[in-house]
Amino acid sequence: MRLRALLDTDALGLRLLGGGDELDRTVRGVMTTDLRDPSRYLSGGELVLTGLAWRRDAADSEPFVRILVAAGVAALAAGEAELGDIPEDLVLACARHRLPLFAVHESVAFATITEHVVRQVSGERAGDLAAVVDRHRRMMTSGPAGGGPDVVLDLLGSDLDLRAWVLSPAGRLIAGSKAAGPALPAEVCARLAAEHLTAARTGRRGPHRLTLGSTAYSVFPVRGGGRSPLGSRDVRETVLSDWLLVVEADAGDWPEERLDLLQGVAQLIAVERDRRDAGRTVRRRLAQEVLELVQAGAAPAEIAARLRVAAPVLLPGLGAAPHWQVVVARVEWEGAEFEGGPVAQSLLEEILVDPLATGPEPSDRIAVAHTGDEAVALVPLPAVSSEHDGSEGGVLADALLESVRMPLSAGLDGDGRVTLGVSASVHSAEGLHGALEEARHARRVAAARPGRVCAAGHQELASHVLLLPFVPDDVRRAFTARLLDPLRDYDRRHRAELIPTLEAFLDCDGSWTRCASRLHLHVNTLRYRVGRIEQLTSRDLSRLEDKLDFFLALRMS
C-alpha cells in the first residue's frame, strides 16, 4: 500500500508534518518502538510508530531519524499522547533526511494503525489470503468477542492449512490452532524454544528452520515494543522473554508474500501480548509495595493490610490466599551494562506457570517486582498441604528447573547465567520476611553450583546455609524448626522423648551401647526411637551430614 492511502483514511487520525512529495512510497509493514536504535528489528519499507519515549532532549532526534533512514523505512508516525505537539527538532530532522513524518492523534491507538496496515498490506500482497488478516481483527477486540492468539492460529489452520503454535521462551505452550490437533510434546516445545533462543543470540533473522525427526518447523519471533527497555541495544535484555510463533512447515521455499503474511500475524500476536502485559502493571506495583514493606521490616499488620488489597487481584474470585510463596531470580551476563532486575522480572513472569498449563492467562496470578539485579515473585497459593515443609501445591525448585533448563541454557549462550531460589510457603504476613530471606539464600546455594541454569529450594537450606556466618536469625529459626519441630510435635503427643534421645545419641558419637546405657534403655528400644526420628525427618543418622545437621539444629534451638 502507499503512504497516501494511509493519509486518506480518516479513522487512523494521521496528520502529515513533512514529506508530502514522498507519499507514493510503498509500505511493506509496521513496527512500534521506543528504542533509541531499533535497526535490528527493521528490514525496510516499514511504517514506524513511536510514542517518543526514546527522546530525552532535542539532540536525540537526528541520530534516531538517521537510523530509520539507513534501515530503509517508509515513514515515521509519532504519537501526540505523551508530549502533545511533535517536537520541532524531530520535524526538522525528518525534513533533512526526506523521511515522511506523520502525527498520530492521541485518541488513536497504535494497535488500530497496526491492524489496518497489516490487513491492507497482506491483502494487496497475498491476494486471496487477505481475508485471513482481515478476520484477525477479532483478536484485537476486547471482551468476549476477542480470542487472543488462539483465534489467529485457528484462522491460519482453516484458511492456509497451517498447523501453528505460540510458545514461551522456556517452551511452554501458550496457544495452538484447532487444526494443530494434539498439543506438541514437551520435549519438542523445548527443542523449538532452544533453537529460537540460539538463533536470536547469534543475530540470525527469522524465520528459523528446524527439522525434528521427519517434521519440519519454522519459528518466527514475536517481538513486542512494550517489553523492550528504553534505549536498549543489547538483545540479551529481551531474548529470555520474547514469545515465538511456530508453524509446521519449511518456510525456506515460501514466496515473499506468504512470509510477509506470517510476519504480520506475528506482529498481531505481539500487539495482543503487549496489551495483555499492560495489565500486569497493577500486579507489579502491588508486589513492589509488599516487597518494600517486607524489606523495610514493616509491622506484620501493615503488610497483612497490603496483602488483603493484593489477594483479590491475584486470586480473582477467591478473596484471599491462605498461603504465599516467594521465588527469587537473578540473571547475570558477562560484560552487560544494563540492570538485570527487569530481565529477571520478565523471565519469572514467563516461567512461574505450570508447564502443563496452556494459554496466556495463568501468569496473571503471579506478581513480580524487581530491585537492583534481582527479581522477586510473590506467588499466592489457594490451597497447600499441611505437611511441615509446606511445599505441596506450590512451586518446587526441582520441577521448575527441569521445565526450563534446556531452552534457557541455549538462550544464555555461554555468557549468561540464571539462578533461582524458592522459599517454603507461609500463611501470614509475619512469615514473609523469613520467606524472602529463605528464597534469597536458596538462590545463593544455587549460584554455588555449576551450570548455566540452577535452582535450589528451601529444603536444601538445612544442609548449607548455617555454614554461612551472615545468615539472618529468622532463617536460622526456619532451619531448626524444619528439623526439630516434627520431633517436638511427636514428643508432645506421645511423650516419646525423641529430642533427649537424639541429643544423647549424638553425644555418644552414635554408639548404641553407650547411648542405651546412659538413657537406661534396652538397645532395641533405642533403635526404635532412632528409627522413629529418621522416619519423621527423612534423615539417616548413620550419615555424617545428617548427624552434623542435627547437631547444629540442637545447638541453635
Side-chain angles (χ1 to χ4, degrees):
M1 68 179 300
R2 306 288 182 180
L3 287 175
R4 192 179 306 279
L6 289 174
L7 192 60
D8 292 339
T9 305
D10 293 338
L12 298 184
L14 297 178
R15 180 165 52 90
L16 184 65
L17 300 181
D21 55 346
E22 302 288 339
L23 292 180
D24 286 327
R25 290 188 181 187
T26 299
V27 179
R28 300 181 63 252
V30 62
M31 177 198 178
T32 300
T33 186
D34 276 317
L35 298 177
R36 287 172 173 263
D37 180 5
S39 57
R40 68 175 179 267
Y41 301 123
L42 298 170
S43 57
E46 294 92 351
L47 170 66
V48 174
L49 306 173
T50 180
L52 299 176
W54 51 266
R55 182 185 178 277
R56 296 172 183 170
D57 55 47
D60 291 334
S61 293
E62 175 68 22
F64 181 76
V65 171
R66 192 183 305 121
I67 288 169
L68 298 188
V69 172
V73 305
L76 174 65
E80 294 179 325
E82 185 72 22
L83 301 178
D85 292 337
I86 306 305
E88 184 65 17
D89 48 271
L90 180 59
V91 176
L92 293 175
C94 288
R96 279 193 297 272
H97 293 278
R98 300 180 62 84
L99 179 66
L101 175 64
F102 299 96
V104 182
H105 193 270
E106 63 180 2
S107 64
V108 179
F110 283 176
T112 300
I113 300 174
T114 298
E115 190 269 342
H116 178 83
V117 171
V118 170
R119 187 174 70 247
Q120 295 299 321
V121 170
S122 299
E124 292 174 3
R125 293 189 173 186
D128 60 339
L129 302 181
V132 178
V133 178
D134 186 49
R135 288 159 61 193
H136 287 171
R137 182 178 183 84
R138 279 183 288 165
M139 189 197 78
M140 304 301 296
T141 61
S142 59
D150 299 271
V151 171
V152 181
L153 302 185
D154 285 344
L155 292 173
L156 286 179
S158 61
D159 289 35
L160 302 183
D161 197 27
L162 283 176
R163 288 159 48 89
W165 304 266
V166 175
L167 305 180
S168 79
R172 183 177 69 89
L173 182 64
I174 293 169
S177 62
K178 293 176 182 176
L184 284 175
E187 60 271 17
V188 173
C189 291
R191 287 282 305 278
L192 290 167
E195 169 63 18
H196 160 72
L197 292 174
T198 299
R201 286 300 314 278
T202 55
R204 295 185 355 235
R205 287 183 177 272
H208 314 128
R209 291 175 289 154
L210 179 67
T211 300
L212 299 178
S214 59
T215 305
Y217 299 94
S218 295
V219 181
F220 295 79
V222 176
R223 298 188 175 104
R227 291 178 311 285
S228 299
L230 181 63
S232 170
R233 294 176 180 269
D234 196 325
V235 70
R236 296 178 296 180
E237 292 188 74
T238 57
V239 68
L240 297 182
S241 57
D242 286 337
W243 283 358
L244 49 148
L245 169 64
V246 176
V247 295
E248 188 180 282
D250 186 345
D253 56 357
W254 280 7
E256 185 176 350
E257 289 82 1
R258 177 164 284 212
L259 285 173
D260 285 345
L261 179 64
L262 265 293
Q263 297 287 5
V265 169
Q267 286 182 339
L268 286 174
I269 294 173
V271 170
E272 172 66 15
R273 183 186 175 185
D274 283 345
R275 188 173 65 175
R276 188 214 57 160
D277 283 353
R280 287 179 171 169
T281 303
V282 174
R283 285 183 293 279
R284 285 179 169 182
R285 187 177 72 248
L286 289 172
Q288 196 73 42
E289 291 173 353
V290 172
L291 175 61
E292 289 172 359
L293 288 174
V294 171
Q295 291 188 133
E302 185 177 359
I303 300 173
R306 192 71 53 154
L307 285 176
R308 283 194 294 272
V309 174
V313 177
L314 300 175
L315 294 171
L318 296 179
H323 293 78
W324 299 87
Q325 226 174 337
V326 175
V327 180
V328 171
R330 186 180 288 261
V331 180
E332 299 169 291
W333 302 97
E334 296 176 10
E337 297 181 358
F338 53 85
E339 191 177 73
V343 181
Q345 181 182 48
S346 295
L347 178 63
L348 274 185
E349 288 174 339
E350 287 299 324
I351 68 175
L352 280 180
V353 181
D354 185 341
L356 299 179
T358 61
E361 299 307 318
S363 58
D364 287 350
R365 292 186 175 183
I366 297 165
V368 187
H370 72 83
T371 173
D373 288 332
E374 176 185 80
V376 178
L378 185 64
V379 183
L381 305 177
V384 298
S385 167
S386 60
E387 296 295 327
H388 284 288
D389 68 0
S391 64
E392 297 296 330
V395 179
L396 299 175
D398 290 345
L400 183 63
L401 179 62
E402 184 64 26
S403 67
V404 302
R405 177 163 33 198
M406 194 267 276
L408 292 187
S409 295
L412 297 167
D413 194 35
D415 66 343
R417 195 146 194 261
V418 172
T419 50
L420 303 157
V422 181
S423 79
S425 64
V426 295
H427 59 82
S428 68
E430 191 172 6
L432 276 180
H433 182 74
L436 176 60
E437 293 300 327
E438 193 173 54
R440 283 175 168 162
H441 285 291
R443 192 207 62 78
R444 292 191 183 102
V445 170
R449 296 171 175 163
R452 290 290 168 187
V453 185
C454 297
H458 60 92
Q459 301 94 334
E460 300 175 67
L461 297 184
S463 297
H464 297 82
V465 173
L466 282 183
L467 299 179
L468 306 176
F470 54 83
V471 179
D473 289 341
D474 44 0
V475 177
R476 295 172 185 254
R477 286 192 293 270
F479 167 79
T480 57
R482 191 163 296 118
L483 280 176
L484 301 183
D485 276 0
L487 307 183
R488 290 169 177 151
D489 292 345
Y490 192 89
D491 280 348
R492 275 196 298 270
R493 293 195 306 268
H494 302 283
R495 298 181 181 180
E497 297 187 337
L498 295 186
I499 292 289
T501 300
L502 175 62
E503 291 176 327
F505 186 75
L506 295 176
D507 285 343
C508 293
D509 296 323
S511 169
W512 297 100
T513 303
R514 283 193 289 132
C515 183
S517 176
R518 176 184 294 190
L519 295 174
H520 307 290
L521 297 174
H522 192 279
V523 170
N524 288 343
T525 303
L526 175 61
R527 290 185 185 277
Y528 172 82
R529 288 188 182 181
V530 170
R532 177 64 66 183
I533 291 170
E534 293 175 335
Q535 182 184 31
L536 290 171
T537 60
S538 299
R539 298 297 183 113
D540 182 355
L541 278 166
S542 68
R543 298 178 69 246
L544 175 61
E545 294 90 339
D546 289 342
K547 287 180 182 176
L548 176 60
D549 287 343
F550 278 121
F551 175 83
L552 292 171
L554 289 167
R555 291 298 179 270
M556 302 297 282
S557 63

